């Protein structure tokens, strides 16, 4: 067991009413490899991560419907929060541990998770402790109560996006107009025969 391994949401508001996104367990494989006596039990390429999930107040344990690859262990990758990174997604459905049932991730509920490191033979090599509870968002009662905040986007970013979208629209409109309204074709002016001397 890897004690005190930090488990957190991918970013502060990375949750919906039926989905939670978690930061990958960076360096979990390397922590296991330094503590084990036989690191040949699993290679980085064959090991996988499973996420187990507990609903607060429920004794059952469920798991994410897929296993995840081992993330890169690098300080720069671990600190990066760009949207292109690979977040580990929980929801909208969870599977029973024995794969005989499916349970939905519900709005407004608290869930705790832990990461399990598996080798190619499906043996558990390492596990983290259970995380603190993470709450899914409540469903809005009507459209007027929906959160319309831009979240982590700054006002400047919203303005830049709006201006860029407007400029692209105007450019496309001008191109379309240029295709529709063509100037008349050039024609040659011939001199009538009776004017020739």
């Amino acid at each position: 067991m890897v004690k005190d391994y930090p488990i957190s949401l991918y970013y502060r508001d990375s949750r919906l009413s039926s989905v939670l996104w978690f930061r990958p367990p960076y360096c979990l494989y390397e922590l296991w490899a330094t503590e084990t006596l036989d690191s040949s039990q699993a290679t980085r390429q064959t090991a996988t991560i499973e996420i187990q999930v507990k609903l607060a107040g429920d004794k059952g344990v469920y798991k994410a419907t897929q296993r995840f690859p081992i993330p890169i262990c690098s300080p720069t990758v671990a600190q990066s929060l760009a949207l292109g990174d690979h977040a580990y997604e929980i929801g909208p459905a969870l599977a029973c541990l024995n794969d005989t049932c499916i349970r939905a991730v519900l709005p407004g509920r608290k869930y705790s998770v832990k990461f399990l490191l598996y080798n190619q033979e499906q043996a558990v090599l390492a596990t983290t402790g259970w995380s603190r509870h993470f709450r899914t968002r409540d469903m809005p009662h009507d459209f007027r109560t929906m959160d319309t905040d831009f979240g982590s986007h700054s006002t400047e970013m919203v303005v830049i996006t709006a201006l860029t979208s407007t400029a692209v629209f105007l450019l496309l409109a001008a191109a379309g107009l240029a295709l529709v309204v063509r100037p008349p074709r050039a024609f040659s002016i011939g001199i009538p025969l009776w004017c020739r001397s």
Side-chain angles (χ1 to χ4, degrees):
M1 181 169 175
V2 179
K3 294 181 179 179
D4 300 325
Y5 190 85
I7 298 175
S8 63
L9 290 175
Y10 189 65
Y11 56 92
R12 189 184 57 160
D13 290 327
S14 59
R15 58 191 180 95
L16 296 175
S17 59
S18 62
V19 177
L20 295 169
W21 289 281
F22 290 93
R23 288 178 62 81
Y26 297 111
C27 303
L28 179 63
Y29 175 82
E30 286 72 18
L31 287 171
W32 165 78
T34 59
E35 293 177 2
T36 187
L37 298 175
D38 182 15
S39 61
S40 66
Q41 295 177 36
T43 65
R44 169 178 277 291
Q45 292 75 25
T46 61
T48 56
I49 300 284
E50 178 180 273
I51 303 176
Q52 290 188 354
V53 183
K54 269 196 317 191
L55 174 63
D58 188 350
K59 294 180 182 177
V61 176
Y62 303 91
K63 65 181 179 178
T65 55
Q66 67 173 358
R67 287 197 179 160
F68 299 93
I70 303 297
I72 296 170
C73 180
S74 165
T76 57
V77 172
Q79 295 302 319
S80 174
L81 289 176
L83 263 125
D85 289 347
H86 304 286
Y88 285 6
E89 182 179 308
I90 303 299
L94 300 171
C96 293
L97 291 180
N98 59 6
D99 293 318
T100 59
C101 69
I102 297 289
R103 179 175 184 148
V105 174
L106 301 172
R109 301 290 176 89
K110 294 179 182 178
Y111 295 89
S112 57
V113 300
K114 71 177 180 177
F115 297 122
L116 286 83
L117 177 67
Y118 280 86
N119 66 6
Q120 189 172 359
E121 288 78 31
Q122 307 308 312
V124 177
L125 302 174
T127 181
T128 65
W130 287 102
S131 70
R132 65 179 176 87
H133 288 104
F134 297 99
R135 185 180 174 95
T136 54
R137 290 181 187 238
D138 290 322
M139 290 292 290
H141 296 292
D142 64 14
F143 71 92
R144 287 179 229 101
T145 62
M146 289 176 58
D147 183 13
T148 56
D149 185 21
F150 288 112
S152 62
H153 298 293
S154 66
T155 306
E156 295 84 11
M157 189 65 187
V158 173
V159 170
I160 290 170
T161 304
L163 291 175
T164 305
S165 299
T166 304
V168 168
F169 172 76
L170 291 174
L171 182 64
L172 290 174
L177 190 61
L179 290 175
V180 171
V181 180
R182 292 186 178 179
R185 292 186 179 187
F187 59 92
S188 62
I189 299 176
I191 301 174
L193 290 175
W194 55 270
C195 290
R196 294 181 188 174
S197 51

